[in-house]
Amino acid sequence: SAILSLSSPFWALPCNAFSPSSRVRLQAKSSSSLFATKEEKPLFVDATSTHSAVSSYYGQTLSSSDDLKTNACCTAGSPIPHIQDAINNIHPEVIAKYYGCGFVTPDELEGCTVLDLGCGSGRDVYIASQLVGENGRVIGVDMTTEQISTAREYQEYHTNKFGYEKSNVVFHQGLIEELDKIAELEDNSVDVIISNCVINLCPDKEAVLKSCHRVLKPGGELYFSDVYSNRRIAQELRDDEVLWGECLSGALYWNDFHHLAKKCGFIDPRLVDDSVITINNKAVQDTITQSGSGNLEFYSATYRLFKLDDTKLDPMCEDYGQAVIYKGTIPRFESGWALDDHHYMETGKIFPVCGNTYNMLKETRFEKHFDFIGDFSTHYGIFDGCGTSIPYSSAGTSGTDAAVASGGGCC
């Protein structure tokens, strides 16, 4: 488990585990740093000052990951073999300036155009560069000058290392809330967008999601990890510089995120994995409790959001008597493959699905890996269990929402 110390300044901005199965724990070295002097104005209301603080810290204060005040931005656990192989090909300077905490790499990327939001020094861009192949393309966007400079400095190195005739990556400096200012990111131009705990730190999350929907091709997806809460966070906590810096008070209430995603065109958000974030820090917990939010809980969750026409997706999981058969042809998944946390499909086995899952497979890059049974001619009602309780299975392990947690299953 990653251990977060709270002796760092608030702008350190540590995030949840990139691999959402690992738990994040907070442990104080000094409680005195928790009670910084309050400004007269609420913190982080001014988007410009937020961006400036983050950019300054990651671009100037830190020279490498060794300079981090906490290990929140250090990867927990080991990568799966093919990702480790890809990391082994990346220049040590890029690795040294990597401040993420895991791996978000959806399957079936060969030949795709991938956009990495908050790419930093480019480590994940260069992982994706190898996964998409020489005929694919990877675009990195980050607001920090020093990070982008490092990423660009080693483009030629990686082109040669990967055995490519020319580089398949490009880096742009800019805000992920303002993708429209990057000329290359035209409407319907990207297959997959990846991101790790960056959207959580953005002042305007709706702008980010709308931009993602705009640039994705039909059938494309946003695959990302972030922090969520079991209820809306009180403004008093959102104004707390330490809680914001620890990636807690900027978290969205999970149901607000679902509604926001749908508002931005992602009609059926799919949970891939989740874990509870345990706050083992009395001072932090006291701050939360004293605000009247003692039952506030946090979760690390990875979602995949497909861009499909609203005629292809229902608001809920409807039963049309359909099924799919996985062919076992996605590389490294010969025995079975999981679309999300409740759709693991064994090779060769008939697997009943709702209409939404049917189209998430048939109308995307995964179509060639499945046989499809049925159509939409007959409706049999809603799938049992398609409810609206908190979707995180980890909520059932402890806390006030344990009794209502139902996982994400519906079909």
Side-chain angles (χ1 to χ4, degrees), residues 226-356:
D226 221 316
V227 177
Y228 302 93
S229 59
N230 67 331
R231 57 194 62 192
R232 293 175 184 136
I233 298 172
Q235 188 62 45
E236 176 183 349
L237 297 180
R238 293 182 61 81
D239 292 342
D240 186 284
E241 58 190 35
V242 173
L243 294 182
W244 187 280
E246 294 299 336
C247 284
L248 296 175
S249 59
L252 278 175
Y253 163 50
W254 70 268
N255 209 19
D256 284 344
F257 163 69
H258 282 215
H259 287 303
L260 181 61
K262 294 173 183 179
K263 178 182 178 182
C264 295
F266 299 107
I267 297 171
D268 188 357
R270 290 299 177 94
L271 178 65
V272 177
D273 202 355
D274 68 90
S275 65
V276 65
I277 297 175
T278 305
I279 304 175
N280 293 334
N281 181 295
K282 185 178 184 301
V284 171
Q285 190 61 62
D286 285 349
T287 299
I288 294 173
T289 301
Q290 290 165 11
S291 74
S293 303
N295 292 321
L296 181 63
E297 297 172 355
F298 298 94
Y299 303 90
S300 166
T302 297
Y303 280 91
R304 66 191 325 161
L305 307 172
F306 286 99
K307 178 181 177 177
L308 293 174
D309 189 272
D310 57 9
T311 62
K312 301 290 185 180
L313 295 175
D314 290 307
M316 305 295 279
C317 296
E318 304 292 344
D319 186 357
Y320 296 92
Q322 298 160 312
V324 298
I325 303 174
Y326 174 54
K327 299 177 182 179
T329 51
I330 296 176
R332 297 175 294 276
F333 296 95
E334 291 79 12
S335 298
W337 180 79
L339 172 69
D340 52 41
D341 73 333
H342 60 284
H343 290 91
Y344 176 78
M345 294 155 281
E346 289 188 67
T347 300
K349 183 177 181 179
I350 296 175
F351 189 90
V353 294
C354 68
N356 286 1

Side-chain angles (χ1 to χ4, degrees), residues 19-40:
S19 172
S21 61
S22 59
R23 295 187 175 190
V24 179
R25 301 179 183 273
L26 296 104
Q27 183 178 55
K29 292 183 179 178
S30 169
S31 61
S32 62
S33 62
L34 293 173
F35 304 103
T37 302
K38 290 287 186 180
E39 301 285 347
E40 291 184 4

